[in-house]
Amino acid sequence: MQDFLFYFLSALTLISGLMVPVSKNPVNGAMYMILCLIGTAGLFALLGSYFMAALQVLVYAGAIMVLFIFIIMLINAPAETKRKRDIPSLIAAAIAFLMLTVGFVMMAMSPELNQPMPALEDAETLAAEGAIPFDGSAKSYGFGLYGKYMLPIQVMGFLLLAAMVGVIHLSKDLHARSQAMLKVKENASE
Amino acid sequence: MLMSHYLVVAGILFSIGMFGVLLRRNTLVMLMCLELMLNAVNLLFVAFSRYNLNLDGNLFVFFAITVAAAEVAVGLAIVVALFKRKDTVQVDAFTEMKN
């Protein structure tokens, strides 16, 4: 059952992931992206980190992709006109894709990584000295985030504040304002 | 399930993201493919965390998701600002820094 779920979820993730760059319309790409993120959330759940799976669906598929779809709707760019296919960049992208994929597969097949996952029940005994043992519950995440990673959490809060201030500043129409100021100056010089 | 299976899936997902960034000229699709690459790294983090039975990898994914959210917010604000000036989101149009 686990094997079937793994193959199903990874096929879902990879196929819908491939449809993101391939689909012509950005809206379709965003929809496939949501499917891909949900497939990844399923893989997280299969790995036993249920909290991360829930977070993936809530934050990525719920918040980030809604932002994307909103912007696509807002911009409403005309559908990509039938411009001539960019053959050189297609070849370059395909070569880069193949090389990276082959490299990753070779790396993954090395004997020290080609091992079965250890049983979750042994997490307490097998975890490294001083490390937080693996556990899918939200409780252990709380212990980790507000214990060992107290400072990074606060830095993250600051980063979000900085991003918010930056976005507010960027969304002001500075170009239009500078144009208006130029006009005022011209009128004054006349 | 072998560890290497998850590595292969994450690697192919990352390669697809890079393929999209290199191939497409639409800024929004490029940003989405960037998210795809971040997502592949998250999968790798969780797989290694499970493999070593160590929760630190999972906590790093938490931080990675936060950074991705901030990055998308700023990136989309820049795209909207560029669209206001150029009336397009194709990267070919953004050549102010040339010369």
Side-chain angles (χ1 to χ4, degrees):
Chain A
M1 187 62 193
Q2 276 231 325
D3 280 11
F4 168 73
L5 268 179
F6 172 79
Y7 288 118
F8 173 72
L9 286 170
S10 41
L12 176 76
T13 307
L14 290 181
I15 291 172
S16 52
L18 188 64
M19 290 309 285
V20 174
V22 167
S23 53
K24 283 258 178 291
N25 195 337
V27 179
N28 293 348
M31 292 299 163
Y32 281 118
M33 180 91 190
I34 292 177
L35 212 58
C36 173
L37 293 172
I38 288 172
T40 322
L43 284 176
F44 284 0
L46 207 58
L47 279 165
S49 55
Y50 307 108
F51 183 67
M52 233 56 235
L55 213 63
Q56 174 92 355
V57 173
L58 282 178
V59 176
Y60 252 119
I64 295 183
M65 289 319 291
V66 166
L67 202 63
F68 261 110
I69 290 171
F70 244 103
I71 296 295
I72 291 171
M73 182 197 77
L74 209 67
I75 283 182
N76 193 20
E80 219 155 294
T81 45
K82 288 191 194 68
R83 35 199 223 86
K84 58 181 191 309
R85 283 217 171 277
D86 195 355
I87 297 294
S89 81
L90 178 65
I91 292 171
I95 289 175
F97 172 76
L98 282 178
M99 282 171 73
L100 208 58
T101 306
V102 169
F104 272 120
V105 171
M106 297 285 277
M107 190 188 72
M109 287 308 159
S110 67
E112 63 261 32
L113 285 175
N114 211 353
Q115 311 260 343
M117 291 284 183
L120 261 184
E121 291 76 45
D122 307 336
E124 296 284 348
T125 50
L126 281 182
E129 192 70 33
I132 311 159
F134 188 90
D135 183 7
S137 69
K139 183 181 154 195
S140 43
Y141 283 92
F143 272 124
L145 288 177
Y146 290 99
K148 191 177 178 185
Y149 290 100
M150 191 66 200
L151 183 66
I153 269 285
Q154 298 191 18
V155 173
M156 277 301 134
F158 225 84
L159 178 80
L160 284 177
L161 175 71
M164 198 175 73
V165 173
V167 168
I168 291 171
H169 179 72
L170 275 172
S171 16
K172 278 195 214 156
D173 204 345
L174 296 173
H175 183 59
R177 191 184 294 168
S178 60
Q179 293 289 324
M181 269 161 75
L182 272 178
K183 217 173 245 174
V184 170
K185 252 184 213 165
E186 274 170 20
N187 288 345
S189 61
E190 281 168 12
Chain B
M1 208 75 286
L2 293 181
M3 174 66 188
S4 51
H5 291 166
Y6 286 98
L7 291 189
V8 169
V9 172
I12 295 176
L13 202 58
F14 188 91
S15 315
I16 288 171
M18 205 186 68
F19 174 73
V21 170
L22 289 177
L23 180 69
R24 294 300 295 263
R25 289 284 169 272
N26 188 328
T27 324
L28 285 166
V29 179
M30 285 170 86
L31 265 177
M32 268 197 277
C33 290
L34 225 64
E35 289 306 302
L36 220 56
M37 287 157 89
L38 274 172
N39 203 38
V41 175
N42 285 352
L43 181 57
L44 213 56
F45 261 132
V46 174
F48 268 109
S49 164
R50 172 74 176 76
Y51 184 63
N52 291 319
L53 293 173
N54 188 339
L55 198 67
D56 286 359
N58 268 285
L59 299 177
F60 264 90
V61 174
F62 188 88
F63 295 126
I65 288 179
T66 318
V67 172
E71 176 229 315
V72 164
V74 175
L76 286 177
I78 292 174
V79 169
V80 170
L82 281 171
F83 181 76
K84 273 186 196 159
R85 294 189 65 153
K86 293 273 181 184
D87 267 334
T88 177
V89 288
Q90 304 290 325
V91 279
D92 312 306
F94 308 140
T95 51
E96 262 89 355
M97 302 272 262
K98 256 188 182 171
N99 307 322

